[in-house]
Amino acid sequence: MTAVAVAAGAFLMTLIGGFVAQRTGDRRHLVLGFAAGLMLGVVAFDLLPEALHQAPDEVHGVPQALLMFAAGFLAIHVVERAVAIHRGHEGEYAEHSHGGHQHGPREGQQGIGLTAALALVGHSVMDGFAIGAAFQAGTTVGTVVAIAVVAHDFADGFNTYTITRLYGNNRRRALTLLAADALAPVSGAAITLAFTIPERLLGLYLGFFSGFLLYLATSDILPEAHSPHPSRSTLLCTLAGVGFMWLVIGLAN
C-alpha cells in the first residue's frame, strides 16, 4: 500500500504540470520548446536505457528494444502521413466545391493528439507499476524510483495537455485526458498488488513508446514551436527541458 500512497504524489504532480501548460498564454512557443526538451530527455535518459536493460535480446544483431523503438517512430509517422494524404484529398474536393476553402493546419488531426495523450496515459500506468514493483524489491529501491517518477510526471501532465490541444482538441477533452493521466500512476501501483508484468514485455513497450515520443517531439512539436517565433528563447527552453530531465534522472540514480 506504500506504493499506492507514493503514486498519489505522482497524481498531484501530473495535475500541476497540466495546470502550468494551461497558463502559458502568448508564450505558447516557449512551452512547446520546453515540452519537446522534456520529451527528448525522457526518451534519451529514462525510457530507452530502461528498455534496453529489460529487453536486451537481439534479433539479427539489433536489440529488441531498439527494433520496437524504430517501430514506434514509424508507426506514428505512417499514421500522420495517412492523415495528411486524406486531408489533402479533402482539401482538393473542398477547393472545387466551395470556391477554394482549405482546412486549417490541425483540422482533422484530433485523433493523433488523442492517440498521443492515451499513450502518455499508458506510460503513466507503467510509471505507477514501476513504483509498485520497486517497492516489492525493497524500500530503498522503491524510494529512488518514486522520486524519479513523481518528478517526471510533471512532464507527463504538461505534455498530455499540450499535445492534446496542439492537435485541435478542445480544452474539456484535454482536461479529461489530463485527469486520466493523473489517475494512471495510482492505478498502475494498485495493479502490482495483484500481479506483475514480465520484464521483457515491459522493455518492448518502453522501446515502442520511446520511438512514438521522439517522433512527436522532433517532427511536430519542435517545428510548431519555431514556426511563429524562431527565437533563441525557444531553443533555450528546449535545452532547459533536456537539462531538467538529465538533472532529475541523475539525482534519482
Side-chain angles (χ1 to χ4, degrees):
M1 293 303 294
T2 301
V4 177
V6 171
F11 168 85
L12 293 175
M13 192 62 74
T14 302
L15 291 180
I16 291 171
F19 177 80
V20 171
Q22 293 180 62
R23 301 294 176 178
T24 55
D26 60 355
R27 297 179 180 178
R28 180 171 174 269
H29 61 292
L30 300 180
V31 172
L32 291 175
F34 187 71
L38 290 176
M39 293 167 74
L40 290 172
V42 168
V43 169
F45 309 141
D46 186 16
L47 296 181
L48 268 184
E50 186 65 23
L52 287 168
H53 174 72
Q54 297 191 15
D57 295 340
E58 296 184 351
V59 176
H60 200 59
V62 179
Q64 293 177 352
L66 291 183
L67 289 175
M68 291 301 292
F69 169 76
F73 189 97
L74 292 173
I76 185 60
H77 176 64
V78 169
V79 170
E80 277 219 328
R81 289 305 91 203
V83 171
I85 292 171
H86 179 63
R87 283 178 60 246
H89 290 162
E90 286 180 339
E92 292 171 5
Y93 174 80
E95 184 175 0
H96 288 298
S97 301
H98 303 288
H101 170 72
Q102 293 290 329
H103 291 278
R106 292 294 178 186
E107 186 177 347
Q109 296 194 39
Q110 291 93 338
I112 295 176
L114 291 176
T115 300
L118 288 172
L120 283 167
V121 172
H123 172 58
S124 293
V125 172
M126 293 299 102
D127 281 348
F129 184 89
I131 292 174
F135 271 103
Q136 288 181 12
T139 302
T140 301
V141 176
T143 301
V144 170
V145 171
I147 291 171
V149 169
V150 170
H152 93 246
D153 270 349
F154 172 86
D156 283 351
F158 191 100
N159 289 332
T160 297
Y161 186 88
T162 300
I163 289 173
T164 306
R165 294 287 282 153
L166 177 64
Y167 283 92
N169 291 282
N170 59 38
R171 183 172 179 271
R172 181 178 179 181
R173 184 173 293 173
L175 289 175
T176 299
L177 286 165
L178 175 63
D181 192 43
L183 289 169
V186 180
S187 301
I191 289 173
T192 62
L193 301 177
F195 61 89
T196 59
I197 299 175
E199 187 176 271
R200 179 174 167 275
L201 291 181
L202 184 58
L204 295 177
Y205 162 77
L206 292 176
F208 185 89
F209 183 60
S210 295
F212 193 94
L213 275 189
L214 184 65
Y215 183 90
L216 292 178
T218 57
S219 297
D220 283 347
I221 293 181
L222 276 179
E224 185 79 14
H226 286 280
S227 60
H229 299 278
S231 62
R232 291 182 181 178
S233 57
T234 304
L235 177 59
L236 289 175
C237 283
T238 301
L239 295 175
V242 174
F244 176 76
M245 287 312 306
W246 185 13
L247 177 64
V248 167
I249 293 169
L251 289 174
N253 292 332

